[in-house]
Amino acid sequence: MSDKIKITFPDGNIKEYDKGISAMDIAKSISNKFADAILVCKINKKAIDLSAPINEDGSIMFFKFDSPEGKECYWHTTSHMMAQAIEELYPGAKFGVGPAIENGFYYDVDSTTKFTEEDLKKIENRILEIAKRDLKPVRDEKPRIDAIEYFKSKRVDPYKVEILETIAGAEESVSLYHQGEFTDLCRGPHLPTTAKVKAVKLLSVSGSYWRGDEKRQMLQRIYGISFPTQKELDQYLKDLEEAKKRDHRKLGKELDLFFFHEVSPGAPFWLPNGMIIYREIESFSRKLHDKFEYDEISTPIIVREPLFNTSGHTTHYAENMFKIISDNEPMYLKPMNCPESTIVYSSKLRSYKDLPIRLSELGRMHRNEVRGALGGMFRVRQFTMDDAHIFCRDDQILEEITRVLQLMTETYGAFGFTPKYYLSTRPDEFMGSIETWDAAEDSLKKALEANKLEYTINEKDGAFYGPKIDVHIKDALNRTWQLATVQLDYQLPEKFDLTYEGSDGNKHRPVMIHRAIYGSFERFVGILTEHHAGNFPLWIAPVQLSVLSITDASIEYAEKIHKELRNEGFRVFLDTRNEKIGYKIRESENKKIPYMIVLGDKEKENNNISVRQHKVGDVGKFELKEFIQKLKLEVLQKA
């Protein structure tokens, strides 16, 4: 047996090393500077510690802090450092779970101390002290029964014991990580040393029931963030403050867009101003779907259980569905539109000449999200999705996905977003055969490559019925949001026995493409609100112009200008109150109205208008017809 292994690098180069070499040593063989920058690696797509020995051939990938894998490892290690700091400062504390999250980390803590801002600062300082100790996290594989005994006797922690006693599959062995005097249950991987953590900030503390069960112990969840430099932390905190100012829930109330109420948790109340934005993006969507030759349908919201038994939703998605009983039988509020679209497809015989069939639906849906996970428009229970389902032949897949990608590009371009593409592959729980999944993933890859679109692989993130292309955009604060999704599905046509008559006279199975562009309208409007900080572009602004009179003598002229603008189709607010013009201007600025038309005796005498632009100020005098043309061009260009 050879004592050598072959390692394949991302550029395709293959090098031979001694068996048992660590990823860190491989990195050092490239350069010490490179080795110092990396945080974690993957061997054959499995994340491992940099210190772990490698004993078999494989492909290797290294990750720095600027990657999702690097951030996850960095923040998860910091969560362990925080738990260690708490254990040292507040003896007797017990710990639930402490994962890395999208931005930072948290740990659930059971302590007799009610943590305050002052406590968080103490914990921060202790984390930085632990960092300076240059502790090397060490992985320790143990039989599960030994790990249970450890957390019952050596470091008594009933939460870790419960996790170990109830983990899926009841693994024979589990991994612990030792970090100096601190030991925790963890799958890893971790940073090679605590010294990598240079800057940390604990952001908040909130209540959290153990395992999300309100009948269980209430723990304290401490949230934090960490970075390799203080400069990065300072910028993050600055962005966080700006994000608070842009919070769509705050702006939604201030601008009369929408609000939430306890009578219906997770469902927004749309106000008139919000409905204008909703209707504008809905209208834009419909025009584009007409251009790309979709047929719009509408399907029922309440559906009998057998439909979802057939689709697989009651098996794979039941906990997220609202169940009701009607006529002594179970029914559901639909969580998605796809099963219903198969009913539309099968409502009559189909021929190969009919395909592709593109069915779009602005469908109202309901998903039973955990109440504690609800978050304004970003996580709701009731929402509208710009769904579509395309039924096509195998030879039409490439063309149809290309058309979807073109529709995405045109849609996002109107909002100033640049899409980034991800290919999400087969999850651990899936329907159908691996061969069918492989074929579907290959089709999506070919579509992306044929359209010369760069993409990243998201391992195991596909839907249970098929792989998908996910599309992300970045907003004004450089935050990433997932919007569109394109899913290739061979499973539902099989489940619902969908067929078409081919040119050979035989029955064939169509392929089903699921896709959404905005995602949910609610989430998209929330993203737009924060992206623009409520300063919406003219074409979707709830109020596009305000007409402000300076004197009583100019009121009649202001009413005339207001009427002409309304007749041209603009959304206009008329303010002829007996208030100072400065006060009226400030009110329009606070309402974030794009343009203000200020009218006094001079404007009336010269039959023109003075125009101010929101956040810009005076932009000059115009003839009304000239300004109307300018506005129409701006709306048309969606500038």
Side-chain angles (χ1 to χ4, degrees):
M1 184 178 290
S2 172
D3 58 355
K4 298 287 185 180
I5 57 171
K6 291 180 180 179
I7 298 296
T8 304
F9 290 85
D11 62 3
N13 284 333
I14 300 175
K15 291 186 179 180
E16 219 172 43
Y17 295 94
D18 291 333
K19 187 177 289 187
I21 191 172
S22 70
M24 177 58 83
D25 287 333
I26 293 175
K28 285 179 178 177
S29 72
I30 298 171
S31 80
N32 286 331
K33 184 177 180 181
F34 176 74
D36 188 55
I38 62 169
L39 304 178
V40 68
C41 84
K42 283 185 177 180
I43 293 289
N44 295 329
K45 300 182 179 180
K46 181 182 179 182
I48 63 169
D49 296 305
L50 293 176
S51 60
I54 303 171
N55 292 305
E56 57 186 16
D57 298 345
S59 58
I60 194 167
M61 292 184 71
F62 294 102
F63 300 96
K64 301 179 182 179
F65 183 77
D66 60 1
S67 67
E69 292 84 356
K71 285 185 172 71
E72 181 179 7
C73 179
Y74 196 93
W75 289 333
H76 186 51
T77 298
T78 314
S79 79
H80 276 231
M81 293 166 67
M82 180 173 74
Q84 182 176 2
I86 292 170
E87 188 175 75
E88 291 178 2
L89 291 168
Y90 307 93
K94 313 299 181 195
F95 301 94
V97 294
I101 53 178
E102 185 177 2
N103 285 298
F105 57 88
Y106 71 77
Y107 222 122
D108 289 338
V109 186
D110 185 356
S111 173
T112 56
T113 300
K114 180 74 173 176
F115 295 116
T116 64
E117 286 292 326
E118 187 179 331
D119 292 311
L120 296 189
K121 189 62 184 175
K122 285 181 186 176
I123 299 167
E124 274 178 30
N125 292 334
R126 184 58 64 93
I127 292 171
L128 293 173
E129 185 186 318
I130 291 168
K132 289 177 181 176
R133 295 178 199 170
D134 192 17
L135 303 176
K136 312 291 192 294
V138 177
R139 185 182 179 90
D140 180 14
E141 296 278 349
K142 280 184 178 294
R144 190 170 67 96
I145 192 168
D146 289 353
I148 291 172
E149 181 58 31
Y150 176 86
F151 285 107
K152 280 184 175 180
S153 58
K154 292 186 179 179
R155 184 166 85 75
V156 179
D157 194 322
Y159 302 104
K160 301 300 180 185
V161 171
E162 183 176 332
I163 291 171
L164 284 163
E165 289 179 339
T166 59
I167 52 177
E171 289 92 337
E172 288 301 313
S173 65
V174 296
S175 58
L176 307 183
Y177 273 82
H178 306 292
Q179 193 169 278
E181 298 300 313
F182 179 74
T183 298
D184 206 350
L185 174 67
C186 186
R187 289 177 179 162
H190 281 277
L191 297 177
T193 169
T194 60
K196 292 284 184 184
V197 176
K198 302 293 187 183
V200 63
K201 178 68 177 175
L202 300 187
L203 301 168
S204 64
V205 58
S206 62
S208 174
Y209 290 109
W210 173 234
R211 296 200 157 179
D213 185 347
E214 61 185 16
K215 296 178 182 178
R216 304 293 301 276
Q217 177 70 26
M218 171 68 82
L219 307 179
Q220 296 180 79
R221 177 168 293 180
I222 301 177
Y223 288 93
I225 190 81
S226 58
F227 289 94
T229 67
Q230 186 64 40
K231 182 180 178 181
E232 289 171 287
L233 175 58
D234 290 343
Q235 184 60 51
Y236 176 83
L237 295 176
K238 182 181 177 182
D239 290 343
L240 198 61
E241 283 304 308
E242 179 62 27
K244 288 179 182 177
K245 296 176 189 174
R246 293 169 178 253
D247 190 315
H248 69 279
R249 290 163 293 192
K250 171 178 171 286
L251 291 171
K253 287 183 179 179
E254 291 175 359
L255 301 177
D256 291 326
L257 305 177
F258 45 76
F259 68 89
F260 291 84
H261 195 281
E262 279 302 302
V263 298
S264 184
F269 284 74
W270 287 94
L271 298 173
N273 282 349
M275 281 306 297
I276 288 171
I277 298 172
Y278 187 108
R279 280 167 33 211
E280 287 296 328
I281 65 172
E282 178 184 50
S283 174
F284 178 59
S285 173
R286 280 198 162 103
K287 286 176 183 176
L288 278 182
H289 280 75
D290 287 345
K291 175 181 175 181
F292 281 84
E293 301 178 282
Y294 284 79
D295 295 311
E296 186 171 350
I297 60 172
S298 179
T299 60
I301 289 177
I302 300 175
V303 183
R304 295 176 62 208
E305 186 175 64
L307 181 78
F308 295 117
N309 289 339
T310 302
S311 69
H313 284 91
T314 48
T315 301
H316 298 273
Y317 206 73
E319 69 275 9
N320 295 106
M321 296 165 67
F322 283 105
K323 186 176 183 178
I324 60 177
I325 302 296
S326 178
D327 297 330
N328 294 318
E329 72 167 317
M331 301 183 79
Y332 290 92
L333 295 177
K334 68 174 177 180
M336 48 196 66
N337 297 314
C338 31
E340 291 84 349
S341 72
T342 67
I343 302 300
V344 175
Y345 178 89
S346 61
S347 62
K348 62 181 182 179
L349 296 175
R350 307 289 183 176
S351 160
Y352 73 97
K353 295 179 181 179
D354 299 325
L355 304 184
I357 295 171
R358 308 181 189 98
L359 303 177
S360 68
E361 178 170 12
L362 297 175
R364 178 64 60 84
M365 289 178 282
H366 297 80
R367 294 182 185 174
N368 192 13
E369 301 284 358
V370 176
R371 188 163 182 173
L374 300 175
M377 291 291 207
F378 296 153
R379 196 71 175 265
V380 291
R381 287 174 170 170
Q382 174 184 288
F383 59 97
T384 299
M385 183 172 285
D386 64 326
D387 239 342
H389 298 92
I390 301 165
F391 301 88
C392 64
R393 307 187 304 266
D394 282 327
D395 62 298
Q396 295 172 322
I397 291 174
L398 180 58
E399 181 182 352
E400 287 307 306
I401 293 178
T402 293
R403 288 172 65 92
V404 171
L405 294 172
Q406 289 170 345
L407 175 55
M408 287 179 187
T409 301
E410 198 163 333
T411 301
Y412 297 144
F415 296 95
F417 293 135
T418 301
K420 189 173 182 181
Y421 301 90
Y422 294 82
L423 177 59
S424 298
T425 59
R426 185 178 69 249
D428 291 329
E429 288 192 23
F430 62 92
M431 290 195 323
S433 68
I434 290 178
E435 292 76 17
T436 300
W437 271 84
D438 289 344
E441 288 176 13
D442 187 56
S443 294
L444 291 180
K445 282 181 185 176
K446 286 178 179 175
L448 287 163
E449 289 163 3
N451 287 278
K452 299 180 180 177
L453 297 172
E454 292 186 7
Y455 64 93
T456 302
I457 300 287
N458 263 353
E459 295 287 349
K460 299 185 177 183
D461 202 36
F464 67 85
Y465 50 79
K468 57 181 179 171
I469 296 171
D470 290 322
V471 182
H472 294 204
I473 57 96
K474 283 192 174 181
D475 68 8
L477 293 182
N478 210 34
R479 298 173 300 183
T480 299
W481 302 95
Q482 181 183 325
L483 292 182
T485 183
V486 189
Q487 300 169 359
L488 194 57
D489 182 7
Y490 289 92
Q491 311 304 328
L492 288 191
E494 183 76 30
K495 293 268 185 181
F496 286 98
D497 193 26
L498 305 184
T499 61
Y500 66 88
E501 186 179 281
S503 58
D504 57 2
N506 295 323
K507 287 186 176 182
H508 298 268
R509 192 81 68 203
V511 180
M512 189 174 179
I513 299 172
H514 308 245
R515 60 106 285 227
I517 308 297
Y518 294 140
S520 85
F521 273 53
E522 286 72 8
R523 188 164 174 271
F524 191 70
V525 171
I527 292 169
L528 285 179
T529 302
E530 296 198 3
H531 176 65
H532 293 291
N535 304 304
F536 296 105
L538 185 66
W539 72 282
I540 59 172
V543 180
Q544 296 169 313
L545 306 105
S546 59
V547 176
L548 314 176
S549 61
I550 298 177
T551 65
D552 288 347
S554 61
I555 289 178
E556 186 179 346
Y557 184 54
E559 290 173 342
K560 174 177 176 290
I561 297 297
H562 172 256
K563 184 177 180 180
E564 290 190 39
L565 288 167
R566 293 271 298 178
N567 288 341
E568 290 290 343
F570 294 106
R571 298 183 288 274
V572 194
F573 169 67
L574 176 63
D575 190 348
T576 58
R577 293 174 299 165
N578 185 24
E579 298 283 358
K580 291 182 179 180
I581 190 62
Y583 178 82
K584 293 180 180 181
I585 289 171
R586 282 194 301 276
E587 272 212 342
S588 285
E589 286 283 352
N590 290 337
K591 291 177 180 177
K592 303 181 186 293
I593 298 171
Y595 289 102
M596 289 149 269
I597 296 176
V598 182
L599 303 174
D601 295 339
K602 287 184 179 179
E603 287 76 19
K604 179 181 177 181
E605 182 181 337
N606 296 320
N607 198 32
N608 61 16
I609 60 175
S610 290
V611 179
R612 294 180 63 87
Q613 188 171 355
H614 175 54
K615 298 184 74 174
V616 174
D618 182 39
V619 293
K621 295 186 183 294
F622 295 84
E623 296 293 326
L624 181 59
K625 287 185 179 180
E626 172 195 5
F627 187 61
I628 285 173
Q629 289 308 309
K630 177 185 180 303
L631 293 175
K632 286 183 175 180
L633 182 61
E634 188 173 332
V635 168
L636 186 65
Q637 292 176 335
K638 295 179 170 53

